[in-house]
Short mmCIF file of all heavy atoms in Angstrom, two decimals:
data_model
loop_
_atom_site.label_atom_id
_atom_site.label_comp_id
_atom_site.label_asym_id
_atom_site.label_seq_id
_atom_site.Cartn_x
_atom_site.Cartn_y
_atom_site.Cartn_z
N MET A 9 -13.93 6.90 -21.43
CA MET A 9 -13.66 8.34 -21.54
C MET A 9 -14.79 9.03 -22.33
O MET A 9 -15.92 8.97 -21.93
CB MET A 9 -12.28 8.58 -22.12
CG MET A 9 -11.18 7.98 -21.23
SD MET A 9 -9.54 8.07 -21.93
CE MET A 9 -9.17 9.79 -21.66
N ALA A 10 -14.48 9.70 -23.42
CA ALA A 10 -15.51 10.33 -24.25
C ALA A 10 -16.19 9.21 -25.02
O ALA A 10 -15.90 8.95 -26.18
CB ALA A 10 -14.87 11.35 -25.19
N ALA A 11 -17.10 8.53 -24.37
CA ALA A 11 -17.65 7.25 -24.83
C ALA A 11 -18.78 7.45 -25.84
O ALA A 11 -19.93 7.16 -25.56
CB ALA A 11 -18.10 6.44 -23.63
N HIS A 12 -18.44 7.88 -27.02
CA HIS A 12 -19.44 8.17 -28.03
C HIS A 12 -19.76 6.99 -28.94
O HIS A 12 -20.75 7.04 -29.69
CB HIS A 12 -19.00 9.38 -28.86
CG HIS A 12 -18.90 10.62 -28.04
ND1 HIS A 12 -17.78 11.41 -28.02
CD2 HIS A 12 -19.77 11.19 -27.18
CE1 HIS A 12 -17.97 12.42 -27.19
NE2 HIS A 12 -19.17 12.31 -26.67
N LEU A 13 -18.95 5.96 -28.92
CA LEU A 13 -19.12 4.86 -29.87
C LEU A 13 -20.53 4.25 -29.85
O LEU A 13 -21.15 4.11 -30.91
CB LEU A 13 -18.06 3.78 -29.65
CG LEU A 13 -18.09 2.60 -30.61
CD1 LEU A 13 -17.83 3.05 -32.03
CD2 LEU A 13 -17.07 1.55 -30.17
N PRO A 14 -21.08 3.88 -28.69
CA PRO A 14 -22.43 3.28 -28.72
C PRO A 14 -23.48 4.20 -29.33
O PRO A 14 -24.30 3.76 -30.14
CB PRO A 14 -22.72 2.99 -27.25
CG PRO A 14 -21.38 2.88 -26.61
CD PRO A 14 -20.51 3.86 -27.34
N GLY A 15 -23.44 5.47 -28.96
CA GLY A 15 -24.43 6.41 -29.49
C GLY A 15 -24.26 6.67 -30.97
O GLY A 15 -25.25 6.78 -31.71
N VAL A 16 -23.04 6.77 -31.42
CA VAL A 16 -22.80 6.99 -32.85
C VAL A 16 -23.31 5.79 -33.64
O VAL A 16 -23.99 5.95 -34.65
CB VAL A 16 -21.30 7.26 -33.12
CG1 VAL A 16 -21.00 7.20 -34.60
CG2 VAL A 16 -20.90 8.61 -32.54
N ILE A 17 -23.03 4.59 -33.16
CA ILE A 17 -23.53 3.39 -33.84
C ILE A 17 -25.06 3.38 -33.83
O ILE A 17 -25.69 3.14 -34.85
CB ILE A 17 -22.94 2.11 -33.22
CG1 ILE A 17 -21.45 2.00 -33.56
CG2 ILE A 17 -23.70 0.88 -33.71
CD1 ILE A 17 -20.72 0.86 -32.86
N ALA A 18 -25.65 3.68 -32.67
CA ALA A 18 -27.11 3.67 -32.57
C ALA A 18 -27.75 4.68 -33.51
O ALA A 18 -28.87 4.46 -33.99
CB ALA A 18 -27.53 3.94 -31.13
N SER A 19 -27.05 5.77 -33.80
CA SER A 19 -27.61 6.79 -34.69
C SER A 19 -27.64 6.33 -36.14
O SER A 19 -28.33 6.95 -36.95
CB SER A 19 -26.81 8.09 -34.57
OG SER A 19 -25.56 8.00 -35.24
N MET A 20 -26.93 5.25 -36.46
CA MET A 20 -26.80 4.83 -37.85
C MET A 20 -27.42 3.47 -38.15
O MET A 20 -27.24 2.94 -39.25
CB MET A 20 -25.31 4.76 -38.22
CG MET A 20 -24.62 6.07 -38.16
SD MET A 20 -22.89 5.84 -38.65
CE MET A 20 -22.16 7.28 -37.91
N THR A 21 -28.15 2.89 -37.18
CA THR A 21 -28.75 1.57 -37.39
C THR A 21 -30.06 1.48 -36.64
O THR A 21 -30.29 2.23 -35.68
CB THR A 21 -27.80 0.45 -36.94
OG1 THR A 21 -28.39 -0.82 -37.27
CG2 THR A 21 -27.50 0.49 -35.46
N THR A 22 -30.90 0.56 -37.06
CA THR A 22 -32.14 0.27 -36.32
C THR A 22 -31.96 -0.95 -35.41
O THR A 22 -32.89 -1.32 -34.71
CB THR A 22 -33.30 0.01 -37.30
OG1 THR A 22 -32.95 -1.08 -38.16
CG2 THR A 22 -33.62 1.25 -38.11
N LEU A 23 -30.78 -1.55 -35.44
CA LEU A 23 -30.51 -2.69 -34.56
C LEU A 23 -30.41 -2.22 -33.11
O LEU A 23 -30.00 -1.09 -32.84
CB LEU A 23 -29.19 -3.36 -34.96
CG LEU A 23 -29.16 -4.03 -36.33
CD1 LEU A 23 -27.73 -4.48 -36.66
CD2 LEU A 23 -30.12 -5.20 -36.38
N PRO A 24 -30.76 -3.10 -32.16
CA PRO A 24 -30.56 -2.74 -30.76
C PRO A 24 -29.06 -2.59 -30.47
O PRO A 24 -28.25 -3.41 -30.91
CB PRO A 24 -31.14 -3.91 -29.97
CG PRO A 24 -31.75 -4.85 -30.95
CD PRO A 24 -31.35 -4.42 -32.32
N VAL A 25 -28.71 -1.56 -29.72
CA VAL A 25 -27.33 -1.31 -29.32
C VAL A 25 -27.27 -1.32 -27.80
O VAL A 25 -28.06 -0.65 -27.13
CB VAL A 25 -26.80 0.03 -29.86
CG1 VAL A 25 -25.39 0.31 -29.37
CG2 VAL A 25 -26.84 0.04 -31.39
N ILE A 26 -26.32 -2.09 -27.28
CA ILE A 26 -26.08 -2.17 -25.84
C ILE A 26 -24.73 -1.53 -25.58
O ILE A 26 -23.72 -1.94 -26.15
CB ILE A 26 -26.08 -3.63 -25.34
CG1 ILE A 26 -27.41 -4.31 -25.70
CG2 ILE A 26 -25.80 -3.69 -23.84
CD1 ILE A 26 -27.41 -5.82 -25.51
N GLY A 27 -24.70 -0.53 -24.72
CA GLY A 27 -23.47 0.16 -24.40
C GLY A 27 -22.83 -0.38 -23.14
O GLY A 27 -23.51 -0.63 -22.14
N VAL A 28 -21.52 -0.54 -23.18
CA VAL A 28 -20.75 -0.94 -22.01
C VAL A 28 -19.78 0.20 -21.69
O VAL A 28 -18.80 0.41 -22.42
CB VAL A 28 -19.94 -2.24 -22.24
CG1 VAL A 28 -19.13 -2.60 -21.00
CG2 VAL A 28 -20.86 -3.39 -22.63
N PRO A 29 -20.04 0.94 -20.62
CA PRO A 29 -19.08 1.98 -20.23
C PRO A 29 -17.83 1.33 -19.65
O PRO A 29 -17.92 0.42 -18.82
CB PRO A 29 -19.82 2.79 -19.17
CG PRO A 29 -21.09 2.07 -18.87
CD PRO A 29 -21.22 0.91 -19.78
N ILE A 30 -16.68 1.78 -20.10
CA ILE A 30 -15.40 1.24 -19.64
C ILE A 30 -14.76 2.22 -18.66
O ILE A 30 -14.74 3.42 -18.90
CB ILE A 30 -14.44 1.00 -20.84
CG1 ILE A 30 -15.05 0.03 -21.85
CG2 ILE A 30 -13.07 0.51 -20.37
CD1 ILE A 30 -15.19 -1.40 -21.39
N ASN A 31 -14.24 1.69 -17.59
CA ASN A 31 -13.56 2.52 -16.59
C ASN A 31 -12.16 2.86 -17.08
O ASN A 31 -11.21 2.16 -16.80
CB ASN A 31 -13.49 1.79 -15.24
CG ASN A 31 -12.81 2.63 -14.17
OD1 ASN A 31 -12.40 3.75 -14.40
ND2 ASN A 31 -12.69 2.05 -12.99
N ALA A 32 -12.07 3.93 -17.85
CA ALA A 32 -10.78 4.39 -18.37
C ALA A 32 -10.32 5.65 -17.64
O ALA A 32 -9.13 5.95 -17.61
CB ALA A 32 -10.87 4.65 -19.86
N SER A 33 -11.26 6.39 -17.08
CA SER A 33 -10.95 7.59 -16.29
C SER A 33 -12.18 7.93 -15.44
O SER A 33 -13.27 7.44 -15.72
CB SER A 33 -10.57 8.77 -17.19
OG SER A 33 -11.69 9.16 -17.96
N LEU A 34 -11.98 8.72 -14.42
CA LEU A 34 -13.08 9.17 -13.55
C LEU A 34 -13.95 8.02 -13.04
O LEU A 34 -15.16 8.13 -12.93
CB LEU A 34 -13.93 10.21 -14.27
CG LEU A 34 -13.21 11.46 -14.77
CD1 LEU A 34 -14.14 12.34 -15.58
CD2 LEU A 34 -12.61 12.23 -13.61
N ASP A 35 -13.31 6.89 -12.75
CA ASP A 35 -13.99 5.68 -12.29
C ASP A 35 -15.06 5.18 -13.25
O ASP A 35 -15.97 4.47 -12.86
CB ASP A 35 -14.59 5.88 -10.89
CG ASP A 35 -13.54 6.05 -9.81
OD1 ASP A 35 -12.46 5.43 -9.94
OD2 ASP A 35 -13.78 6.82 -8.85
N GLY A 36 -14.97 5.57 -14.51
CA GLY A 36 -15.93 5.14 -15.52
C GLY A 36 -17.22 5.94 -15.56
O GLY A 36 -18.06 5.71 -16.42
N LEU A 37 -17.36 6.90 -14.64
CA LEU A 37 -18.60 7.68 -14.62
C LEU A 37 -18.77 8.54 -15.85
O LEU A 37 -19.89 8.74 -16.33
CB LEU A 37 -18.66 8.54 -13.35
CG LEU A 37 -18.80 7.76 -12.04
CD1 LEU A 37 -18.73 8.71 -10.86
CD2 LEU A 37 -20.10 6.97 -12.03
N ASP A 38 -17.67 9.05 -16.39
CA ASP A 38 -17.75 9.84 -17.62
C ASP A 38 -18.31 9.00 -18.76
O ASP A 38 -19.19 9.42 -19.51
CB ASP A 38 -16.39 10.45 -17.98
CG ASP A 38 -15.26 9.43 -18.04
OD1 ASP A 38 -15.39 8.35 -17.42
OD2 ASP A 38 -14.24 9.71 -18.69
N ALA A 39 -17.83 7.76 -18.88
CA ALA A 39 -18.31 6.86 -19.93
C ALA A 39 -19.77 6.47 -19.69
O ALA A 39 -20.58 6.46 -20.63
CB ALA A 39 -17.43 5.62 -20.01
N LEU A 40 -20.11 6.18 -18.45
CA LEU A 40 -21.49 5.81 -18.12
C LEU A 40 -22.46 6.93 -18.52
O LEU A 40 -23.46 6.69 -19.20
CB LEU A 40 -21.62 5.51 -16.63
CG LEU A 40 -23.04 5.24 -16.13
CD1 LEU A 40 -23.60 3.98 -16.75
CD2 LEU A 40 -23.05 5.15 -14.61
N LEU A 41 -22.13 8.14 -18.12
CA LEU A 41 -23.02 9.27 -18.44
C LEU A 41 -23.08 9.54 -19.94
O LEU A 41 -24.14 9.85 -20.48
CB LEU A 41 -22.60 10.51 -17.67
CG LEU A 41 -22.80 10.41 -16.15
CD1 LEU A 41 -22.18 11.63 -15.46
CD2 LEU A 41 -24.26 10.26 -15.79
N ALA A 42 -21.95 9.41 -20.62
CA ALA A 42 -21.93 9.64 -22.07
C ALA A 42 -22.81 8.63 -22.79
O ALA A 42 -23.46 8.96 -23.79
CB ALA A 42 -20.50 9.58 -22.60
N ILE A 43 -22.85 7.39 -22.30
CA ILE A 43 -23.61 6.35 -22.99
C ILE A 43 -25.09 6.38 -22.60
O ILE A 43 -25.97 6.22 -23.45
CB ILE A 43 -23.00 4.95 -22.71
CG1 ILE A 43 -21.59 4.88 -23.30
CG2 ILE A 43 -23.88 3.84 -23.28
CD1 ILE A 43 -20.81 3.64 -22.90
N VAL A 44 -25.37 6.60 -21.35
CA VAL A 44 -26.76 6.51 -20.89
C VAL A 44 -27.59 7.75 -21.24
O VAL A 44 -28.80 7.66 -21.38
CB VAL A 44 -26.81 6.20 -19.37
CG1 VAL A 44 -26.56 7.44 -18.52
CG2 VAL A 44 -28.11 5.54 -18.99
N GLN A 45 -26.96 8.89 -21.43
CA GLN A 45 -27.68 10.14 -21.69
C GLN A 45 -27.82 10.41 -23.18
O GLN A 45 -27.28 11.36 -23.71
CB GLN A 45 -26.96 11.32 -21.00
CG GLN A 45 -27.00 11.27 -19.50
CD GLN A 45 -28.42 11.45 -18.95
OE1 GLN A 45 -29.29 12.00 -19.58
NE2 GLN A 45 -28.63 10.95 -17.76
N MET A 46 -28.56 9.55 -23.86
CA MET A 46 -28.75 9.70 -25.30
C MET A 46 -29.96 10.59 -25.58
O MET A 46 -30.92 10.60 -24.81
CB MET A 46 -28.94 8.32 -25.94
CG MET A 46 -27.71 7.44 -25.87
SD MET A 46 -26.27 8.20 -26.66
CE MET A 46 -26.87 8.39 -28.32
N PRO A 47 -29.94 11.30 -26.71
CA PRO A 47 -31.08 12.15 -27.05
C PRO A 47 -32.29 11.30 -27.44
O PRO A 47 -32.15 10.14 -27.83
CB PRO A 47 -30.57 12.97 -28.23
CG PRO A 47 -29.47 12.17 -28.82
CD PRO A 47 -28.86 11.40 -27.69
N PRO A 48 -33.49 11.89 -27.36
CA PRO A 48 -34.70 11.16 -27.75
C PRO A 48 -34.57 10.59 -29.16
O PRO A 48 -34.09 11.26 -30.07
CB PRO A 48 -35.80 12.23 -27.68
CG PRO A 48 -35.28 13.24 -26.71
CD PRO A 48 -33.78 13.25 -26.90
N GLY A 49 -35.00 9.35 -29.31
CA GLY A 49 -34.98 8.70 -30.61
C GLY A 49 -33.73 7.91 -30.92
O GLY A 49 -33.68 7.18 -31.91
N ILE A 50 -32.69 8.04 -30.08
CA ILE A 50 -31.44 7.29 -30.29
C ILE A 50 -31.13 6.52 -29.00
O ILE A 50 -30.21 6.84 -28.26
CB ILE A 50 -30.25 8.23 -30.63
CG1 ILE A 50 -30.61 9.23 -31.72
CG2 ILE A 50 -29.03 7.40 -31.04
CD1 ILE A 50 -30.90 8.62 -33.08
N PRO A 51 -31.92 5.48 -28.70
CA PRO A 51 -31.68 4.76 -27.45
C PRO A 51 -30.45 3.86 -27.51
O PRO A 51 -30.14 3.29 -28.56
CB PRO A 51 -32.95 3.92 -27.28
CG PRO A 51 -33.40 3.67 -28.68
CD PRO A 51 -33.04 4.93 -29.45
N VAL A 52 -29.79 3.75 -26.38
CA VAL A 52 -28.73 2.78 -26.18
C VAL A 52 -29.00 2.12 -24.83
O VAL A 52 -29.02 2.79 -23.81
CB VAL A 52 -27.32 3.43 -26.17
CG1 VAL A 52 -26.26 2.40 -25.81
CG2 VAL A 52 -27.01 4.06 -27.51
#
């Protein structure tokens, strides 16, 4: 859904963060887009 967890974690650490979008609604596309569309400097 509002899949902010990976990005929030990435904003607070220098460790590599791997995001897994979960299909909880909208076939998981909402989670995929929320995780993959990170601002510059905060990669996931």
Side-chain angles (χ1 to χ4, degrees):
M9 300 174 76
H12 297 128
L13 182 63
V16 168
I17 290 173
S19 76
M20 297 181 201
T21 184
T22 58
L23 295 172
V25 177
I26 303 168
V28 179
I30 301 291
N31 181 1
S33 66
L34 302 175
D35 292 327
L37 292 175
D38 53 338
L40 174 65
L41 292 173
I43 296 171
V44 79
Q45 293 293 337
M46 294 302 300
I50 312 295
V52 174

